[in-house]
Amino acid sequence: MILAQFQSFQDACDYVDKHTTPANAGHLFIDGEEPNYRVYSTAPQLNAADYPAIKAHLPRLAHEIIGLIGIEAAFKLFNAKSGVSIAITQWRANPTKQQAELVNLIGRAAAERLSIAYQTQRILLIPTLKQAKTRIRNQRIHAEFDRLTQKPHTSARAAVTRLAHQFGLTERTIWHILKNN
């Protein structure tokens, strides 16, 4: 997924430095040449529209969080904090630094509900949703392969090469996904 476009390589590097998080570390890449550099991510980002396709592949905790704070806020949390533990402290009128970060990410009401619901745990490990992300990534690979191969003069081999680069996978893995899904 293309995140941004820049005219200079340095601007693209600055963007990657600024936007690298634990959830997308190792998944941001720069492609292109002067004057058109693209920053793209191979980390699958989930959203509410993906929910029907991945519902059966989500862990119990993900369903609890969705029910508690709503689907939009939950997917913002999953995408930004996947696999990261967050400290859950008693909610205060003046939020702590970590609570303020959570408020900026998912909104005050959702952050407050999350803190109240899980305050006895002290630490909440946000699920990685690996199965769900893999399923969505594979669906996107299929869709993009179909789109690319419908263009004139684009062979399946050329499409697979492009998809391998775009998704940060090997060509062999792309062929495997196309064959088995």
Side-chain angles (χ1 to χ4, degrees):
M1 167 194 331
I2 295 176
L3 302 175
Q5 293 190 22
F6 299 94
Q7 291 185 348
S8 81
F9 184 72
Q10 186 59 50
D11 289 344
C13 290
D14 292 344
Y15 179 90
V16 169
D17 289 344
K18 183 178 179 184
H19 291 89
T20 299
T21 66
N24 70 13
H27 291 282
L28 295 181
F29 296 92
I30 300 171
D31 186 24
E33 54 190 44
E34 202 166 338
N36 187 19
Y37 292 99
R38 295 173 303 281
V39 176
Y40 64 94
S41 173
T42 59
Q45 297 291 302
L46 301 174
N47 58 53
D50 297 324
Y51 185 66
I54 62 172
K55 185 176 181 179
H57 303 280
L58 296 177
R60 184 182 54 80
L61 179 59
H63 288 290
E64 284 178 19
I65 292 171
I66 290 168
L68 186 65
I69 66 174
I71 197 162
E72 294 292 336
F75 280 111
K76 285 180 186 176
L77 181 65
F78 299 149
N79 287 327
K81 301 289 185 180
S82 174
V84 176
S85 57
I86 57 174
I88 301 293
T89 57
Q90 186 174 3
W91 194 260
R92 298 187 178 104
N94 295 324
T96 64
K97 182 181 176 185
Q98 200 164 29
Q99 286 173 334
E101 183 182 322
L102 200 55
V103 166
N104 288 335
L105 180 63
I106 62 174
R108 185 175 181 87
E112 194 170 333
R113 285 194 303 273
L114 198 64
S115 292
I116 291 168
Y118 293 104
Q119 69 185 355
T120 58
Q121 287 185 222
R122 309 222 279 166
I123 292 180
L124 177 63
L125 179 61
I126 305 303
T128 60
L129 308 182
K130 187 174 180 178
Q131 281 185 327
K133 287 179 179 180
T134 300
R135 183 175 179 86
I136 291 300
R137 180 204 66 197
N138 292 354
Q139 287 176 352
R140 290 176 183 162
I141 287 171
H142 274 276
E144 185 66 6
F145 178 81
D146 290 344
R147 188 185 72 74
L148 289 171
T149 55
Q150 299 213 352
K151 290 181 178 180
H153 310 295
T154 303
S155 67
R157 185 187 252 347
V160 166
T161 300
R162 181 171 176 171
L163 290 170
H165 183 69
Q166 181 179 342
F167 286 90
L169 301 170
T170 65
E171 289 179 8
R172 183 177 177 148
T173 300
I174 298 293
W175 283 115
H176 181 77
I177 290 167
L178 293 171
K179 180 181 176 187
N180 294 318
N181 289 63

